C-alpha cells in the first residue's frame, strides 16, 4: 500500500494551523511526501536529514514572524558538549513522552522534549569530558572578537578540539534504539536501561564491528523500509545488517577499485564523502568521487546488477573532489522521480538524475555526462560571471523544488591556506567580513520536462547551517546572520522573499554546520559549538 501523504493531509494540517498563512495552490496541487519508514522512530526527525529520503523537509509549519529580537525567555539553551551537530526525535514512549537523542565529542545525551533540558548523559570512555566553563570561556572570546588573525587562531583551536569527533552517522529506530556508526567501522547501539521509561539512563545495548574485508571509515547510515540497517564506507562498501546484528550482506560499489588510495584531501574527502538516500522499493542512492550509483536492496541481497534495477552514471567533476552533497530524493507516487545532487564542477551545478527507468523518448541534454541526467543548471546565486562555489550540504527538497545556499566565505585572508577557509564560515561566519550570501531555488516543470531556476535571494546569508522546509507554513528556514548577530531567517518557499527574521543573539548561538530542525510542535532547534538551542517564540500573528 502506498503511504504517500497527499493533498488531504496538507489541507487538514492547514486547518489545524489556522493562524498561519494559507498554502499556495501550487503547493497543494503538487506535493507528495515520501512514504513513512515504519522502522524509523515515529517522529519528523529520526536520522540526519530527517528520514530515509534525505529531503530536509517536514510537514510541520514553522514560525511566521514578524521580525523582532527574541527575548531570553524565548531561547532554550542547553550546554551538552561540543560536536552535537544533529539530534534525533524519538517516537512516544509508553509513558506518553518523547525525548531527543544526540551524541557529540565526549557524550551521548537525552534531552526532555518539553523543556529541552538534559535527562541523562552517557560519557564516552577514554575521552576527556568538556566542561561548561571551557565553553563559556570560548563564547566570551568569540563575542569579544570574531574577525582578524587572533579570531582565526581561536577558531583553529576550537576546530582542533573536534579532530577526534566520530559517530556523526546516527539512526533512531521505532524501538528507541540509537545506532551510532564511527570512523573505525564500529556500530554501537544505545538504548534505555528501562525501555518503558523515557527518563531512564542510557546504556549500551550491543555493538558490531564491520568485517575485516569491509574497509574504510563509516560515512553514512540509513534504514530500509523492511528494517535493514544499511552502512556505507569511504572505500565504497555497502553493508546490509539486521538490527540485532545476527546476519549481514555486503557489496562493493562499481568503480571502487583502489578507492582506499583515492582520497583527495583531508578527512572527509574520500572516495565516498557523504551519506545516502533510500526509497521505499529498496533503491539506495549514493555518490562516489565521480559517479552517482543506485544499489538495490532486494530484500535478500545488495545488488549492483542492472537486472535488479541498479545503475551507475558519471557526473561532471572538474573540481576532482566529487560532490559534497548527500543525495536527496525528489518525486513520489505518480510524480516524476529523481535523485538530486550538486556536482563536482568548481562552479557546481544542481543535477537531477532519473531515479528509475529513463523515459523512452528522452534525449540526452547538452553538456551533461549521461542520458540519465534529467536536468542540470549552474548554481550562480544570480551572478552573471562564473565563480567558484561548492557545498558540503545536502540539497533541500520539497515537492519539485530544490534549494541550495552559498557557504563560500567572503574576503578570505591572503595568509589563510585554502584547506583552512572553513574556519571563516564556521566559527567566524556571522561577521560581515566573512559571511557568505545567497540562496537559490530550482524547480522541475513536469509539463515541459525541464529544470528551471525558480528564484534567487542574493541578500540572505546562511553561513554554515543546513536549511529546512516547513511545508505547513510554506517556508524555508535557515540560521543566518545580520550585524554580527545570529538570526533565524524565514523565506517564502514559492518566491524566496524574506518574510521575517528573528535575532537570536551572539556567538553562543553559532550553528556550526548543524541542521536547522523543526520539532513536532513547529519550534526551530539546532546545534551550536557547545550544545543545543531551541527557539520558542511567543505566539504572534504576522502583519502580512
Amino acid at each position: 500500500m502506498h503511504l504517500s501523504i497527499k493533498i488531504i493531509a496538507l489541507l487538514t494540517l492547514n486547518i489545524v494551523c489556522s493562524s498561519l498563512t494559507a498554502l499556495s495552490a501550487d503547493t497543494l496541487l503538487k506535493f507528495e511526501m515520501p512514504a513513512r519508514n515504519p522502522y524509523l522512530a515515529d517522529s519528523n526527525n529520526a536520522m540526519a536529514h530527517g528520514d530515509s529520503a534525505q529531503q530536509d523537509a517536514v510537514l510541520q509549519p514553522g514560525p511566521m514572524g514578524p521580525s523582532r529580537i527574541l527575548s531570553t525567555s524565548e531561547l532554550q539553551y542547553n550546554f551538552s558538549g561540543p560536536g552535537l551537530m544533529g539530534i534525533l526525535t524519538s517516537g512516544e514512549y509508553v509513558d506518553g513522552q518523547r525525548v531527543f537523542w544526540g551524541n557529540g565529542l565526549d557524550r551521548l545525551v537525552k534531552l526532555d522534549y518539553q523543556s529541552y533540558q538534559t535527562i541523562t548523559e552517557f560519557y564516552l570512555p577514554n575521552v576527556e569530558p568538556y566542561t561548561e566553563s571551557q565553553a563559556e570561556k570560548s563564547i566570551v572570546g568569540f563575542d569579544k572578537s570574531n574577525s582578524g588573525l587572533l579570531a582565526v587562531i581561536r577558531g583553529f583551536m576550537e576546530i582542533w578540539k573536534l579532530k577526534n569527533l566520530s559517530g556523526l552517522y546516527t539512526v533512531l529506530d521505532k524501538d528507541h534504539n540509537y545506532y551510532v556508526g564511527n570512523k573505525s567501522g564500529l556500530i554501537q547501539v544505545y538504548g534505555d536501561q528501562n525501555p518503558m521509561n523515557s527518563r531512564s539512563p542510557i546504556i549500551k545495548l550491543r555493538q558490531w564491528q564491520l568485517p575485516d574485508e569491509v574497509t574504510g571509515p563509516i560515512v553514512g547510515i540509513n534504514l530500509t523500509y523492511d528494517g535493514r540497517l544499511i552502512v556505507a564506507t569511504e572505500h565504497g562498501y555497502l553493508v546490509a545488517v539486521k538490527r540485532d546484528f545476527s546476519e549481514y550482506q555486503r557489496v562493493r560499489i562499481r568503480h571502487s577499485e583502489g578507492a582506499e588510495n583515492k582520497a583527495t584531501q583531508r578527512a572527509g574527502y574520500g572516495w565516498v564523502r557523504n551519506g545516502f538516500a533510500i526509497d521505499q522499493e529498496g533503491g539506495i542512492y549514493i555518490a562516489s568521487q565521480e559517479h552517482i550509483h543506485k544499489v538495490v536492496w532486494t530484500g535478500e541481497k545488495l545488488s549492483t546488477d542492472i537486472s535488479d534495477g541498479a545503475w551507475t552514471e558519471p557526473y561532471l567533476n572538474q573540481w576532482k573532489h566529487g560532490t559534497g552533497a548527500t543525495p536527496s530524493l525528489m518525486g513520489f507516487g505518480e510524480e516524476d522521480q529523481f535523485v538530486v545532487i550538486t556536482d563536482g564542477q568548481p562552479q557546481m551545478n544542481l543535477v537531477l538524475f532519473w531515479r528509475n527507468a529513463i523515459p523512452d523518448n528522452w534525449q540526452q541534454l547538452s553538456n551533461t555526462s549521461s542520458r540519465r541526467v534529467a536536468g542540470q543548471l549552474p548554481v550562480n546565486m544570480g551572478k552573471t560571471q562564473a565563480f567558484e562555489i561548492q557545498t558540503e550540504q545536502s540539497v533541500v527538497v520539497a515537492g519539485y523544488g530544490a534549494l541550495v545556499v552559498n557557504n563560500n566565505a567572503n574576503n578570505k585572508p591572503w595568509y589563510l591556506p585554502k584547506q583552512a577557509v572553513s574556519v571563516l564560515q564556521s566559527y567566524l561566519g556571522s561577521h560581515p567580513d566573512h559571511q557568505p550570501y545567497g540562496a537559490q531555488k530550482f524547480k522541475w516543470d513536469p509539463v515541459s520536462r525541464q529544470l528551471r531556476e525558480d528564484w534567487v535571494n542574493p541578500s540572505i546569508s546562511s553561513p554554515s547551517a543546513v536549511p529546512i522546509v516547513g511545508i505547513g507554513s510554506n517556508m524555508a528556514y535557515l540560521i543566518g546572520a545580520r550585524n554580527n548577530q545570529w538570526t533565524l531567517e524565514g523565506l517564502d518557499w514559492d518566491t524566496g522573499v524574506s518574510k521575517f527574521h528573528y535575532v537570536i543573539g551572539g556567538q553562543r548561538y553559532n550553528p556550526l554546520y548543524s541542521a536547522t530542525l523543526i520539532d513536532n510542535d513547529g519550534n526551530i532547534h539546532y546545534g551550536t559549538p557547545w550544545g543545543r538551542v531551541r527557539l520558542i517564540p511567543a505566539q504572534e500573528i504576522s502583519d502580512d
Side-chain angles (χ1 to χ4, degrees):
M1 178 180 178
H2 196 281
L3 300 177
S4 295
I5 302 172
K6 300 192 177 187
I7 182 174
I8 189 168
L10 289 171
L11 286 169
T12 303
L13 181 62
N14 202 34
I15 292 170
V16 171
C17 306
S18 57
S19 65
L20 302 177
T21 59
L23 292 171
S24 71
D26 180 70
T27 299
L28 286 172
L29 289 173
K30 295 187 178 179
F31 258 101
E32 286 215 39
M33 292 292 286
R36 194 186 78 79
N37 187 327
Y39 286 89
L40 286 173
D42 187 11
S43 73
N44 68 357
N45 186 50
M47 60 179 299
H49 304 297
D51 59 17
S52 294
Q54 305 285 273
Q55 288 192 310
D56 289 300
V58 298
L59 280 175
Q60 279 74 17
M64 294 294 289
S67 298
R68 60 189 178 84
I69 300 172
L70 293 181
S71 68
T72 55
S73 65
E74 297 173 300
L75 302 173
Q76 294 176 320
Y77 174 76
N78 183 308
F79 167 74
S80 45
L84 210 74
M85 297 175 184
I87 202 164
L88 307 183
T89 311
S90 77
E92 283 193 11
Y93 284 72
V94 294
D95 61 11
Q97 301 296 313
R98 294 182 189 269
V99 301
F100 296 107
W101 283 84
N103 65 296
L105 179 65
D106 62 352
R107 73 196 78 179
L108 284 83
V109 299
K110 282 199 313 185
L111 306 186
D112 180 68
Y113 181 85
Q114 298 298 331
S115 68
Y116 218 61
Q117 295 303 300
T118 301
I119 297 170
T120 184
E121 296 173 310
F122 182 101
Y123 283 90
L124 300 174
N126 305 315
V127 180
E128 182 180 354
Y130 191 83
T131 67
E132 189 166 7
S133 62
Q134 287 176 287
E136 292 300 318
K137 182 178 179 181
S138 295
I139 292 166
V140 169
F142 283 116
D143 274 335
K144 184 177 180 180
S145 175
N146 63 335
S147 184
L149 178 59
L150 292 180
V152 169
I153 293 172
R154 184 180 298 111
F156 275 126
M157 292 172 63
E158 292 291 330
I159 287 176
W160 185 250
K161 293 174 184 176
L162 301 177
K163 66 183 184 299
N164 294 321
L165 183 63
S166 188
L168 295 177
Y169 315 103
T170 62
V171 165
L172 186 61
D173 75 8
K174 65 184 182 64
D175 301 313
H176 314 302
N177 293 321
Y178 186 63
Y179 299 81
V180 181
N182 67 30
K183 292 186 289 188
S184 69
L186 182 68
I187 304 171
Q188 297 172 305
V189 187
Y190 297 89
D192 302 286
Q193 189 176 72
N194 177 1
M196 309 295 285
N197 182 3
S198 64
R199 314 291 104 176
S200 178
I202 298 169
I203 61 171
K204 186 163 73 173
L205 300 175
R206 57 190 177 276
Q207 65 181 35
W208 186 67
Q209 181 70 44
L210 292 178
D212 291 342
E213 66 270 20
V214 177
T215 62
I218 293 175
V219 290
I221 186 169
N222 205 322
L223 201 62
T224 67
Y225 281 73
D226 62 357
R228 291 294 173 107
L229 199 68
I230 306 294
V231 177
T233 78
E234 186 178 291
H235 295 171
Y237 287 94
L238 280 179
V239 178
V241 59
K242 285 188 174 180
R243 290 180 299 140
D244 63 3
F245 301 142
S246 63
E247 179 184 312
Y248 77 92
Q249 291 80 27
R250 66 175 175 85
V251 74
R252 196 159 193 189
I253 300 170
R254 293 179 62 191
H255 306 299
S256 62
E257 298 81 9
E260 58 273 17
N261 300 313
K262 293 181 179 178
T264 59
Q265 267 189 30
R266 64 188 186 277
Y269 282 80
W271 192 76
V272 175
R273 293 174 55 192
N274 297 285
F276 52 92
I278 294 180
D279 67 23
Q280 189 179 10
E281 289 74 37
I284 301 166
Y285 304 88
I286 186 165
S288 63
Q289 209 166 75
E290 295 187 348
H291 295 83
I292 180 82
H293 310 262
K294 179 180 181 179
V295 178
V296 177
W297 169 247
T298 68
E300 297 179 350
K301 65 176 183 177
L302 290 165
S303 175
T304 58
D305 295 337
I306 295 174
S307 60
D308 290 319
W311 50 260
T312 292
E313 300 287 354
Y315 61 84
L316 300 180
N317 185 35
Q318 189 178 357
W319 193 50
K320 301 300 184 185
H321 303 300
T323 176
T326 295
S328 307
L329 302 188
M330 174 187 287
F332 303 93
E334 300 303 315
E335 296 174 335
D336 294 335
Q337 298 184 8
F338 311 101
V339 56
V340 185
I341 62 169
T342 50
D343 66 13
Q345 294 298 89
Q347 181 177 354
M348 64 185 182
N349 295 293
L350 183 91
V351 190
L352 272 58
F353 294 85
W354 294 104
R355 210 155 77 218
N356 301 306
I358 303 171
D360 291 338
N361 61 349
W362 184 255
Q363 299 295 315
Q364 183 168 344
L365 302 177
S366 62
N367 301 316
T368 62
S369 58
S370 165
R371 181 171 171 263
R372 188 170 288 279
V373 173
Q376 177 178 291
L377 288 175
V379 177
N380 57 25
M381 297 297 161
K383 298 180 180 179
T384 55
Q385 74 276 19
F387 68 104
E388 287 194 8
I389 179 171
Q390 271 289 330
T391 185
E392 291 297 318
Q393 297 183 358
S394 172
V395 179
V396 176
V397 173
Y400 282 138
L403 174 69
V404 292
V405 292
N406 178 22
N407 297 141
N408 278 17
N410 285 324
N411 305 318
K412 300 165 190 173
W414 62 266
Y415 54 80
L416 198 61
K418 188 173 183 179
Q419 296 89 336
V421 168
S422 63
V423 73
L424 300 180
Q425 65 257 33
S426 56
Y427 283 97
L428 313 182
S430 68
H431 198 284
D433 284 353
H434 310 301
Q435 69 181 112
Y437 290 90
Q440 188 169 14
K441 182 189 170 193
F442 301 85
K443 191 172 184 180
W444 173 256
D445 182 342
V447 177
S448 64
R449 295 205 301 188
Q450 286 184 307
L451 179 67
R452 305 180 189 275
E453 180 187 291
D454 199 23
W455 51 256
V456 175
N457 186 324
S459 61
I460 207 72
S461 179
S462 177
S464 68
V466 182
I468 194 168
V469 175
I471 294 171
S473 47
N474 200 39
M475 298 274 283
Y477 299 96
L478 50 88
I479 305 303
R482 300 181 185 221
N483 302 316
N484 209 11
Q485 296 284 294
W486 292 101
T487 62
L488 173 69
E489 304 287 339
L491 305 182
D492 186 287
W493 181 243
D494 290 334
T495 66
V497 171
S498 179
K499 302 295 286 186
F500 79 98
H501 70 274
Y502 290 148
V503 177
I504 303 170
Q507 300 314 305
R508 180 183 305 277
Y509 305 108
N510 184 333
L512 192 69
Y513 293 114
S514 69
T516 309
L517 302 175
I518 301 176
D519 69 19
N520 283 47
D521 295 314
N523 297 310
I524 300 289
H525 60 123
Y526 64 93
T528 79
W530 308 281
R532 301 286 307 177
V533 63
R534 182 166 65 175
L535 317 182
I536 50 169
Q539 292 291 324
E540 294 189 64
I541 299 176
S542 173
D543 294 332
D544 294 341

